[in-house]
Every structure is written in structure tokens, then in C-alpha cells.
Amino acid sequence: VKPCLGAKEYEDATVAEDEFAAYEKFGETYPGSPLAIDAYMRMLQSETGRGLEEAQIRDIAQRLIEVSKKWGEPRRRQSVVDASIAISEMRTKPKLAQEFLTESESFVEENSPKSWQTMVPFHMALTMWDMENIEEATKRMEAFHLDHPLEPRSAYYLAHLYEEQDRTEEAMRIYAALGALPKMPEFLEREMAADVDFVPAEEKPP
């Protein structure tokens, strides 16, 4: 079996002391390798990537999309979606996230991958919230929750949006139902772990 172009160099990048710089060098050296797609995605998702300026993040996303073109339009579109979600999840560059999510929305259709149909509208709602467009965020999160009533993350965020608007009864109805949703305990555990001030009950001092 013929090895993938740059396979050894990519493997070396995954264990490099400065992985971000190693992935960047790999992408520049082997733009024709399918592994370049993964390298640029890892850059976007890394702690270093999350701390970059907006122009630098846009540049990485555009390089990701550019190297994907070699593998056809479906692969290019997948990279647009992946970049838009990665940027949205940073929660610090909402205008940039909206830019890539808007392009993603333009080609999401009924026959698109289910992950696109789920992740793109959810992250657009989240991005509207980060842009402090509460009305639009609520409208989009409500629509998403209606289509995906068992998805805990959207329910949790929708309840928070209701709270911000003093729609307490609506928020409480969602909170009351959250415990019965699949995967809710796991979601809350991850959400609380991301809060540096949160102390799990079993870890509180006596």
C-alpha cells in the first residue's frame, strides 16, 4: 500500500514540542496531502489557534478550505462547515464565525449530511447570542430545539436565553425537563468543568 504523502512528517508533527508550528510547516510543505486538511483543523482547534487575532484565524481557515479543493467540492464544503464550527466554538470571534457559517448555510440542504443540518443551525444560533443579538439567537435556538427536542445543549442554552429576557416560566419549564434528556449528565459535567469557579459537590471542603 502506497503511504500517504507526508505521512511520516505528519506523525512527527503530532508529537512536536510546538505542535501548532509543526502543523503550520506541514501544511505549507505538503499542501497536496490530505493530511494538510487535518493539520489546519488541528491548528484552528488548538489553544494557540483560539488565542490568535481574527485575521490570523481567517487565514488558517482559508488555507484549510484551499487545500481541500483538490479533493472536490464536497470536501471543500465539509471544510467550510468544519472551520465555521471551530471558530464558533471559540466564542470570541462571532463576526468571523458568522461569515463562515453564512457560507455553510448557503449549501446546507435536505440531502446534506445530517451533521451539517444539525451543527450549522445550532452554531449560527450560538453565534447570534455571542453577537448579543438576543432576539435572533432565541428565534434560531427555539427552531433548533423544536427540531431536536432531545438535544441537551440547545435546551440548556435556550433556557439561558429565556432567563436573559426575564421569561422565567419558559426557562423553568426547560430546566425541569433537562434531567430527563439523554446525555444531559455528561453535558452538564463538561459544561461545569469548563467553569474555573465551579466546584463539584463532592469536592467541596467539609
Side-chain angles (χ1 to χ4, degrees), residues 18-42:
D18 186 346
E19 287 187 41
F20 185 89
Y23 287 134
E24 183 172 31
K25 181 179 179 180
F26 180 89
E28 293 172 349
T29 306
Y30 298 98
S33 170
L35 294 173
I37 297 173
D38 191 63
Y40 285 123
M41 270 305 300
R42 286 176 180 251

Side-chain angles (χ1 to χ4, degrees), residues 128-142:
M128 290 294 104
W129 190 7
D130 290 337
M131 294 177 70
E132 299 184 356
N133 188 340
I134 304 301
E135 181 178 350
E136 183 65 20
T138 303
K139 176 183 175 182
R140 287 175 176 269
M141 200 67 81
E142 284 176 334

Side-chain angles (χ1 to χ4, degrees), residues 36 183 197:
K183 300 184 179 180
D197 296 321

Side-chain angles (χ1 to χ4, degrees), residues 29 51 59 71 86 118-119 121 138 147 154 158 171:
T29 306
D59 179 62
W71 310 100
T118 302
M119 298 300 283
T138 303
D147 289 340
S154 62
L158 180 57

Side-chain angles (χ1 to χ4, degrees), residues 64-75:
L64 164 66
I65 295 166
E66 184 63 30
V67 298
S68 300
K69 289 180 180 179
K70 173 181 174 67
W71 310 100
E73 180 61 14
R75 178 61 258 191

Side-chain angles (χ1 to χ4, degrees), residues 96-149:
L96 183 61
Q98 182 191 27
E99 177 184 323
F100 285 92
L101 284 164
T102 297
E103 181 178 354
S104 297
E105 280 189 329
S106 71
F107 53 69
V108 173
E109 303 171 339
E110 288 185 6
N111 62 346
S112 296
K114 290 296 182 184
S115 60
W116 297 8
Q117 297 180 46
T118 302
M119 298 300 283
V120 171
F122 170 77
H123 280 279
M124 183 61 93
L126 195 63
T127 294
M128 290 294 104
W129 190 7
D130 290 337
M131 294 177 70
E132 299 184 356
N133 188 340
I134 304 301
E135 181 178 350
E136 183 65 20
T138 303
K139 176 183 175 182
R140 287 175 176 269
M141 200 67 81
E142 284 176 334
F144 185 88
H145 183 56
L146 185 64
D147 289 340
H148 307 277

Side-chain angles (χ1 to χ4, degrees), residues 3-16 19 22-23 25-27 29-30 33 35 39:
C4 181
L5 177 64
K8 176 60 169 63
E9 290 78 3
Y10 181 82
E11 183 179 350
D12 291 342
T14 65
V15 295
E19 287 187 41
Y23 287 134
K25 181 179 179 180
F26 180 89
T29 306
Y30 298 98
S33 170
L35 294 173

